[in-house]
Structures are given as structure tokens and as C-alpha cells.
Amino acid sequence: MVERGILIETANPKPEIRKNAEIAKDWEYSEEAKYLYDKAILFKDRFLDPILHTDRGRLPDPVISFDNLRNNRTLAAYTLHRNPVGLLDEITFNTEQYEVQEDKKVWKFGRWAQLETLLHEQVHLWQQNFGEDPIKPGKVYHNKEFVDKCEGLGLHPMPVKGCHVAVADGVFAQLMNELGIERPDMPPTEEIKIDWFKYLEDWLGREAKGRSTLKKWCCPECGMNVRMGIAGDPRLRHHTCETELGRQVFLVPGDVYAAKKK
């Protein structure tokens, strides 16, 4: 109450922002927004603030947005301060990590990795509201408190860097099983220092659209391959196979080699 007895009301635009995002059917991220808002509430109720406290309010819900963060290494970001329209608790998903499948925007690393990313950003939100060592601009973004909280939920972020170096387990994996989201199979590997799903993408031989302009060329005899940023046939020859076979051996396009192997 102010001195004249007028009630001071605290506005909460988040429900309307969420509603607008979910009904904006002409917006290409509307379905994604609805899905992520639903899971954010589930994560809050299950993991981050499951018990009602008498000495404080509940954890704020995030504002979920989508934007080109101009760095294909960035998955999503939690905004420490108010965003350009004055809102707190914003989690922004990088649109560079989406691709179009059947006329829909789809997170290219799959739902499991996407939900690990969402929970990761919500842990930032939790830490800024209830943590004992919240992040300050210019300081370590993924500090010990953050990493410990994530580990308790089954996520495995690398200290300081923040990348997830192993597929999540624990209570997160249990929830994914309840939701019917299949756990990704990682190949046998030693310690990695990048996000496991990026490692898995490379291991499976997939490349994100637009990430590379190099064309693959293969030796039709031994399968050796190289990549060249040259348009047209560079007339490459494999000296080792030529020496063994006594004739010229020209490299062929990778797709031609793959078709011959079938």
C-alpha cells in the first residue's frame, strides 16, 4: 500500500505471452513454444520447485523465445537481465539449431537433447532466484552451484564451459521414459569435451545444413576419401592405388562411391 491507501498491483504478463505464442498459428514456432512451455512447467513442478514454501513465492515461469543467436555453437541462452521489452526470466532457443521437416520447425538434435537444454536453462533461472551463488555478469557462468544442481537432476554439464559431456541419467532419464522419449545410444568413447549430441551427430556422419561447403571424393578401389571446396571434377588421382594396380585411379564423388558399394 502507498501512503494514500492505493493498492499497488504487480502485473504478470507471462500467461498472456504464453497464450499468444500457443495460438499464433501463423508463427512457425508456435507448436514448439507450446511444447516447451508445457515441459518447463513440468520441470518446475517435478524438479526445480516441487514443494510449496511459506517463506517465499514459487519459482517464476520462463518466457520462451526463439531468435537467431548468430552462433551455431550456441543452443539456447538464459537472459540474466530484463529483455528488450522489460521481461525477466527469458530463455531463448537459437533458431540456427532448427531445421525444417515435413513443413515444421524441428530441433535438429532430437527431443532428448532439446529437453536437456531446456532444463539446463531453467537451472539458471532457479539459481538466479533461489541459489546461494547466483551468476553475476562477467563471472563464471557455469559455477559449482550450477553444476551440482544439474548433476542432482541427472544432467552432466562441464564446469565453466557448460556443455553436456554425457547423456543425462537419474531423475531426468526417468521422466523421459515416462514421456516415451527414447534415450539416445552413444557409441563407446573416451572422455569428450563437447555436447554429447554434437559428438553423436559427427559420429553418425551427419552434417548440419549449411555448415560445410566441401564435397566428398572417394577412391573407388580402397575407399579413401577427401573433401574439396572445388566446383566440378578436380580430376584427383590416388597414387598408392595406381602403384599397386598399374593404372590410373581417379577419385569419384562420395555419393557415386556409396551407390556402387550397395
Side-chain angles (χ1 to χ4, degrees):
M1 302 287 286
V2 297
E3 293 181 359
R4 297 183 180 181
I6 301 174
L7 180 65
I8 299 176
E9 296 184 0
T10 301
N12 180 16
K14 291 179 182 178
E16 290 302 316
I17 292 172
R18 175 181 177 179
K19 181 179 178 180
N20 177 75
E22 294 177 349
I23 66 174
K25 300 306 180 184
D26 58 331
W27 182 39
E28 58 188 346
Y29 292 101
S30 179
E31 289 188 24
E32 276 292 283
K34 183 178 188 307
Y35 182 85
L36 292 171
Y37 271 119
D38 286 344
K39 298 304 177 285
I41 297 300
L42 180 59
F43 288 164
K44 180 176 83 170
D45 292 341
R46 180 73 71 95
F47 299 145
L48 298 171
D49 198 16
I51 301 173
L52 293 176
H53 294 260
T54 59
D55 59 339
R56 63 165 173 80
R58 293 205 71 197
L59 181 71
D61 294 330
V63 173
I64 295 177
S65 63
F66 303 82
D67 196 9
N68 187 335
L69 300 181
R70 308 192 186 284
N71 186 340
N72 61 20
R73 293 178 297 177
T74 301
L75 302 169
Y78 172 75
T79 305
L80 289 174
H81 47 74
R82 292 186 182 274
N83 74 1
V85 295
L87 294 171
L88 287 170
D89 313 315
E90 182 181 37
I91 293 174
T92 304
F93 278 79
N94 189 0
T95 56
E96 288 200 9
Q97 308 302 345
Y98 279 87
E99 58 189 16
V100 178
Q101 294 181 12
E102 298 179 354
D103 298 325
K104 293 183 179 180
K105 289 288 187 177
V106 177
W107 184 260
K108 67 183 180 182
F109 298 114
R111 283 300 193 196
W112 183 294
Q114 184 185 34
L115 293 181
E116 279 197 30
T117 301
L118 174 62
L119 183 55
H120 174 120
E121 301 305 333
Q122 277 189 271
V123 172
H124 282 304
L125 191 157
W126 169 87
Q127 186 179 28
Q128 295 309 108
N129 283 273
F130 300 144
E132 296 182 359
D133 190 17
I135 306 305
K136 297 178 176 60
K139 301 297 182 180
V140 174
Y141 206 65
H142 301 97
N143 61 18
K144 184 179 185 302
E145 181 181 58
F146 176 87
V147 171
D148 288 348
K149 182 68 173 179
C150 285
E151 289 287 348
L153 299 174
L155 306 184
H156 304 294
M158 178 184 292
V160 183
K161 191 174 180 181
C163 58
H164 292 202
V165 295
V167 181
D169 47 29
V171 294
F172 179 89
Q174 293 172 15
L175 179 58
M176 294 301 101
N177 183 59
E178 292 176 25
L179 296 174
I181 298 175
E182 186 175 356
R183 187 179 192 275
D185 290 326
M186 278 288 287
T189 179
E190 297 180 359
E191 182 179 356
I192 62 174
K193 296 183 179 180
I194 61 173
D195 288 302
W196 62 262
F197 39 88
K198 294 178 181 178
Y199 177 89
L200 181 60
E201 181 188 49
D202 292 339
W203 186 81
L204 292 174
R206 297 196 301 262
E207 289 187 332
K209 183 179 180 181
R211 184 175 296 174
S212 175
T213 58
L214 303 181
K215 185 174 180 179
K216 183 178 179 180
W217 294 85
C218 298
C219 173
E221 300 297 334
C222 70
M224 180 205 72
N225 64 77
V226 296
R227 293 181 182 273
M228 299 285 291
I230 299 175
D233 189 346
R235 303 287 292 173
L236 297 173
R237 293 163 56 183
H238 189 200
H239 176 73
T240 301
C241 283
E242 288 185 343
T243 301
E244 292 180 358
L245 299 173
R247 58 178 173 82
Q248 291 183 335
V249 178
F250 287 92
L251 272 60
V252 299
D255 54 352
V256 173
Y257 176 77
K260 287 182 178 180
K261 294 288 288 183
K262 290 182 179 180

